[in-house]
Amino acid sequence: MTIFDLLELDFVQSALIAAAVLALVAGVLGPLIVTRKMAFAVHGTSELAFTGGAAALLLGISVGYGSLIGSVAAALLLGLLSRRDSDRDSVIGAILAFGLGMGVLMFALYKGRAVNKLSLLVGQIIGVDSTDVWLLVVASIAVLAVLAFIYRPLFFASVDPDVAIARGVPVRALSIVFALLVGVATALSVQVVGALLVLALMITPAAAAMRVTASPVRATALSVVFAEVAAVGGILLSLQPGLPVSAMVTAVSFVIYLACRGIGAVQRRTA
């Protein structure tokens, strides 16, 4: 089959729509995640998404819902337990270890197909059906709507938290809300690249964008473009040779990051 024949298949079209929606959410959230130094938190959250998905497999319910519940639980734990910045890494490490341990236990108890287990770790967006796409769209709209409502105070608190506190900005509450948004986005991203590679979609495009511009608006726009290219482009590149989607998404994302590092280095020398 040619690439054009593959693009006419319903599951491929669903996969491309899901990837585009996820890339939009990841691209918008990414610069704030990098600014707030939450890359490790995203990884920890993805492990609880993995645990929730494994529990869903065991119970015979939708993996998407299970991952979403696990990510939200992880976000709440991170927000409630890491009251001080000095506690954040240790709390994330504890949650990450717990998530992996429980996920392994769920896998040991699950007697179904091995491919279902593998998809949680490395993603399997080709298996996304129309129900999953609707879940992705609704959850993404909710995340973007809440982010639009809190963006200005959240950005202020991210750039200079001490001054934000002095100005009466509810920094603590905003941190918990943002952690929940990241948790939802992480759960959605697990379906594309899996729990092990979720940073490729949530962090790498934003890190690349912030290498070439200091403007928050331009960084967000570039982050969205880079995430879209990585997610949609990764699927298109994987179709004809039949390669794993997650591998191509992460490869495209990393190539973009390396290119932006080079551009950023040239810009600094020129300046």
Side-chain angles (χ1 to χ4, degrees), residues 49-141:
F50 158 69
T51 303
L57 278 179
L58 188 62
L59 296 173
I61 62 177
S62 171
V63 172
Y65 289 113
S67 298
L68 192 59
I69 293 171
S71 288
V72 170
L76 286 173
L77 287 173
L78 288 174
L80 295 173
L81 297 180
S82 55
R83 294 184 176 274
R84 296 177 298 178
D85 289 343
S86 58
D87 294 337
R88 182 182 298 167
D89 284 350
S90 59
V91 170
I92 294 170
I95 291 175
L96 192 153
F98 172 75
L100 280 176
M102 290 299 99
V104 170
L105 174 62
M106 301 296 179
F107 270 13
L109 296 175
Y110 178 67
K111 304 303 181 183
R113 295 187 303 167
V115 68
N116 293 333
K117 301 178 181 181
L118 184 64
S119 66
L120 274 178
L121 294 174
V122 298
Q124 186 58 40
I125 197 171
I126 298 301
V128 175
D129 57 24
S130 58
T131 302
D132 293 324
V133 170
W134 278 111
L135 172 63
L136 295 175
V137 171
V138 172
S140 299
I141 291 173

